[in-house]
Amino acid sequence: MKKTAFVFLGAVIVSAAVGGLAGWSINKYSEGGSADAIYHAAAGDDGAVVRDTMPKAGTHFTAYQADQYPDLTYAAENAVKAVVNIESIREVQYGGSRSYDPFFDFFGIPYGYGGEPQTREQRAGGSGVIISADGYIVTNNHVVEESTKLKVKLNDGRLFDAELVGTDPTTDIALIKIDGEDLPTLPFGNSDELRLGEWVLAIGSPFDLQSTITAGIVSAKARDLGVIPNEARIESFIQTDAAVNPGNSGGALVNTRGELVGINTVIKSSTGSYVGYSFAVPETIVRKVVVDLKEYGVVQRAILGVSYRAIDQAFIEQLGEETGIKTPGGLYVASVVDGSAASEAGIRKGDIIVAIDGAKTDDASTMMEKMAQHRPNDKVKITLMRDGDKKAVVAVLKNKVGKNEMMTRDMVDVAAELGGKFADAGKKICDKLEIRGGVQVVSVTRGGLLERARVREGFIITHINDRQISSVSDMQRMTDRVESIDGIYPDGRAASYVIVQ
């Protein structure tokens, strides 16, 4: 069985020789006409055969406009000027003893005692897009994360040092800045207006081949792949068949007018290189994240306060009899958070959300994309079905702590600050350890508070800043800086950590 790997496109720079595979297609022609036209024969008044060479549209076809064939040269020659190569330099430690021994920990002997670790530089390559003449550049978070130095090379060969403005791991978008004037820029388009089959260009630096342009079509929209490594990820990718490879990350997906409609992010591949499909974060999400990072320093997340499930054939087979739902379409509201925007708008468990601000919501990724475009205190019109009747309500969205105000830079994303992946501690382990709940550390990210405090995987956090933490949602609602962590390891050893900033 073939294994499918989702490969983020930023990678350590390598060189590769790529072979080509020639292919051809054979068009069969019928006598007297091309396979491109549908021929209908009929006898005229004089007995001659009259052929109708006009193609017949299917029952659901849109109007065909023959004068609108794409010319990709305009978009390519202009957009390429604003796409840059990014070199991310990271300091990596190696050597020294890294094994954990509670004896050393108890006596305060530093973790890694037994040998001084060495430091070396690790370099990785990616792409970015200049969006303002004074040097703001949008790219992927995974291109710049954990970097200690960033270098940007422009299409004309100029080289700049860059500084990190802000990142959003939930969408894999980051904003960096170089010190420049009158730089070439790429205007934002509108990814909502993209049509299936529309031509697009992918521009970036695969395998360090700067300013590489490939073309393809929009294969699908609103793809949710589950690949962004963040608990609160927001995925609604544009799928294309434009060829992209490692190093294309953060590069531009451009329409035929030379407008930015997406940021190339990931490929679906069994080899680690392009084999047919690539995925881009849509412009609607990118634009919102960039504006938030520039204006507020943090991304403003708007919360409706419902859990939901797409009503598809699997839903109908599993829950159709119980819910009385027999037709696919919409999102089934499984629960509503007390005091949330949804609760205050009158949304109930069992409602079916069919549209937000007039846009159909038949899948979770569309819902995520629409919500990602809003900020706290925004009003959204939600169309829903209840007991067979259509109903419209207006919800005033809230932030993650249940308020209508904007988040500030001083308000901390606790999960991001801790640095790691987390999951609710299961009932079995809670019963065994005799705790009321907690958040288990699934993995520890380099450079975060958990690593610096020498917290190991498996640790169950029960309190942060002396505040009880029973679930991941409890932790996500916190906005204060972390000063202390209390909890217990699966072997029953309790531990407390004081964070020195």
Side-chain angles (χ1 to χ4, degrees):
M1 181 180 294
K2 292 184 178 179
K3 293 183 179 179
T4 299
F6 292 96
V7 182
F8 287 91
L9 305 175
V12 176
I13 297 172
V14 297
S15 61
V18 182
L21 177 64
W24 64 89
S25 62
I26 301 174
N27 289 325
K28 294 185 178 179
Y29 291 86
S30 57
E31 183 179 352
S34 161
D36 293 334
I38 301 173
Y39 284 79
H40 301 274
D45 295 336
D46 57 359
V49 174
V50 180
R51 294 185 184 272
D52 177 9
T53 60
M54 293 299 293
K56 302 300 181 182
T59 57
H60 294 277
F61 276 39
T62 55
Y64 177 69
Q65 298 168 308
D67 60 335
Q68 294 190 2
Y69 290 105
D71 178 4
L72 305 179
T73 57
Y74 172 84
E77 292 175 354
N78 286 281
V80 72
K81 301 172 186 176
V83 180
V84 303
N85 174 257
I86 298 174
E87 184 181 27
S88 172
I89 302 170
R90 306 167 188 175
E91 291 186 355
V92 180
Q93 288 188 340
Y94 68 97
S97 173
R98 301 294 293 171
S99 59
Y100 174 80
D101 189 328
F103 173 83
F104 294 121
D105 190 31
F106 181 82
F107 286 102
I109 300 174
Y111 178 53
Y113 178 80
E116 288 295 327
Q118 303 298 312
T119 301
R120 62 180 174 84
E121 287 189 345
Q122 183 183 77
R123 296 171 183 265
S127 305
V129 182
I130 305 174
I131 57 172
S132 69
D134 59 348
Y136 281 97
I137 298 171
V138 62
T139 184
N140 282 137
N141 174 62
H142 74 264
V143 170
V144 301
E145 66 180 343
E146 299 183 6
S147 62
T148 54
K149 189 183 299 182
L150 294 169
K151 290 187 177 295
V152 170
K153 185 178 181 181
L154 271 56
N155 175 253
D156 61 13
R158 285 182 289 171
L159 192 63
F160 293 84
D161 289 327
E163 63 178 11
L164 184 64
V165 177
T167 65
D168 180 29
T170 64
T171 59
D172 198 20
I173 294 297
L175 186 66
I176 65 176
K177 176 76 165 61
I178 61 174
D179 187 12
E181 297 179 358
D182 195 28
L183 298 173
T185 62
L186 201 55
F188 282 100
N190 188 337
S191 56
D192 280 343
E193 295 178 355
L194 283 176
R195 300 171 65 180
L196 299 182
E198 180 175 341
W199 280 98
V200 286
L201 300 176
I203 308 176
S205 303
F207 303 122
D208 202 29
L209 299 171
Q210 187 164 357
S211 304
T212 294
I213 305 171
T214 57
I217 62 169
V218 176
S219 304
K221 297 171 66 176
R223 290 291 199 204
D224 181 4
L225 306 178
V227 294
I228 293 178
N230 188 279
E231 306 296 331
R233 60 177 173 262
I234 297 173
E235 295 185 9
S236 186
F237 292 119
I238 301 165
Q239 178 182 331
T240 78
D241 64 349
V244 295
N245 280 289
N248 270 111
S249 265
L253 187 71
V254 177
N255 62 19
T256 56
R257 295 182 295 277
E259 298 169 332
L260 182 69
V261 292
I263 294 296
N264 297 314
T265 300
V266 67
I267 57 178
K268 182 178 181 180
S269 170
S270 58
T271 64
S273 296
Y274 175 78
V275 292
Y277 302 112
S278 56
F279 301 88
V281 179
E283 163 274 336
T284 52
I285 292 178
V286 175
R287 186 199 296 254
K288 160 70 164 46
V289 170
V290 165
V291 171
D292 283 355
L293 291 175
K294 287 183 68 175
E295 291 188 7
Y296 305 101
V298 295
V299 177
Q300 302 295 333
R301 289 278 174 255
I303 308 297
L304 180 59
V306 297
S307 63
Y308 51 83
R309 180 175 170 183
I311 301 175
D312 51 18
Q313 195 58 42
F315 177 94
I316 293 173
E317 291 175 359
Q318 296 171 12
L319 299 172
E321 185 175 345
E322 177 185 335
T323 61
I325 299 173
K326 300 179 180 179
T327 306
L331 301 172
Y332 178 79
V333 177
S335 65
V336 179
V337 178
D338 290 339
S340 66
S343 175
E344 293 179 356
I347 298 176
R348 307 174 190 167
K349 177 182 178 180
D351 287 344
I352 301 173
I353 299 174
V354 296
I356 292 183
D357 289 335
K360 288 179 63 177
T361 52
D362 285 337
D363 51 64
S365 55
T366 300
M367 179 75 164
M368 285 191 291
E369 181 178 353
K370 293 303 175 187
M371 294 304 299
Q373 297 172 24
H374 290 285
R375 297 184 178 92
N377 208 40
D378 281 356
K379 294 180 180 179
V380 293
K381 180 182 177 182
I382 299 175
T383 307
L384 52 86
M385 299 294 297
R386 179 183 296 166
D387 299 326
D389 298 324
K390 184 174 286 189
K391 181 180 177 66
V393 299
V394 175
V396 182
L397 301 175
K398 299 188 178 186
N399 61 29
K400 69 174 187 176
V401 294
K403 298 181 180 180
N404 297 113
E405 63 193 36
M406 298 290 184
M407 302 290 286
T408 67
R409 193 187 294 267
D410 295 332
M411 295 179 177
V412 175
D413 183 335
V414 170
E417 186 177 36
L418 288 174
K421 293 183 180 180
F422 308 92
D424 290 346
K427 183 178 185 300
K428 183 177 180 180
I429 194 168
C430 288
D431 290 345
K432 173 187 174 184
L433 298 175
E434 299 181 348
I435 56 176
R436 289 185 292 174
V439 173
Q440 189 159 33
V441 178
V442 177
S443 65
V444 176
T445 303
R446 190 173 73 84
L449 291 182
L450 293 181
E451 187 201 43
R452 298 205 300 271
R454 304 195 297 278
V455 176
R456 292 180 294 149
E457 293 180 6
F459 183 67
I460 300 166
I461 300 172
T462 58
H463 293 79
I464 296 178
N465 299 348
D466 295 327
R467 175 177 167 180
Q468 172 113 17
I469 302 296
S470 299
S471 63
V472 172
S473 59
D474 286 346
M475 188 170 69
Q476 290 174 339
R477 284 193 289 268
M478 290 191 65
T479 59
D480 298 330
R481 290 203 169 276
V482 179
E483 297 177 353
S484 64
I485 305 170
D486 297 286
I488 187 170
Y489 283 98
D491 62 3
R493 184 174 65 89
S496 296
Y497 301 89
V498 177
I499 309 300
V500 179
Q501 300 287 352

